[in-house]
């Protein structure tokens, strides 16, 4: 039995379609936000879908020299 001829143009077209869908998904993720909170709400971080830190909020009550080690652990 012989195999059907390999259609390179169809394969390239399919690859371009996949690439386009991937670019669209990446753009949607860029606008998705994720938030995490630790230390009972003392530290909150927000990042986008591109894993970029957008916001970091640290409760002022944990920012003093005595609690520096705890703050470092939370962050």
């Amino acid at each position: 039995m012989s195999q059907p001829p390999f259609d390179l143009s169809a394969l390239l077209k399919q690859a371009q379609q996949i690439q386009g869908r991937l670019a669209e998904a990446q753009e949607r993720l860029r606008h998705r936000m994720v938030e995490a909170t630790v230390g009972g709400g003392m530290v909150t971080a927000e990042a986008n879908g591109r894993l970029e830190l957008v916001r970091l909020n640290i409760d002022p009550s944990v920012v003093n020299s005595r609690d520096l080690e705890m703050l470092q652990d939370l962050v």
Side-chain angles (χ1 to χ4, degrees), residues 5-74:
F6 185 71
D7 188 353
L8 184 59
S9 64
L11 183 61
L12 289 174
K13 183 177 179 178
Q14 184 180 13
Q16 288 174 333
Q17 290 171 344
I18 292 170
Q19 186 176 21
R21 289 195 307 260
L22 178 60
E24 291 170 5
Q26 288 173 330
E27 183 61 24
R28 284 192 307 272
L29 279 176
R30 182 173 159 234
H31 299 289
R32 176 142 316 164
M33 303 301 270
V34 177
E35 183 177 284
T37 302
V38 296
M42 290 187 279
V43 176
T44 302
E46 188 174 1
N48 64 22
R50 298 176 85 184
L51 303 178
E52 299 168 331
L53 184 62
V54 176
R55 183 176 61 87
L56 178 65
N57 185 42
I58 300 172
D59 187 307
S61 69
V62 297
V63 182
N64 71 47
S65 59
R66 296 180 321 189
D67 296 329
L68 183 59
E69 191 173 320
M70 181 180 75
L71 177 61
Q72 291 171 338
D73 288 342
L74 291 171

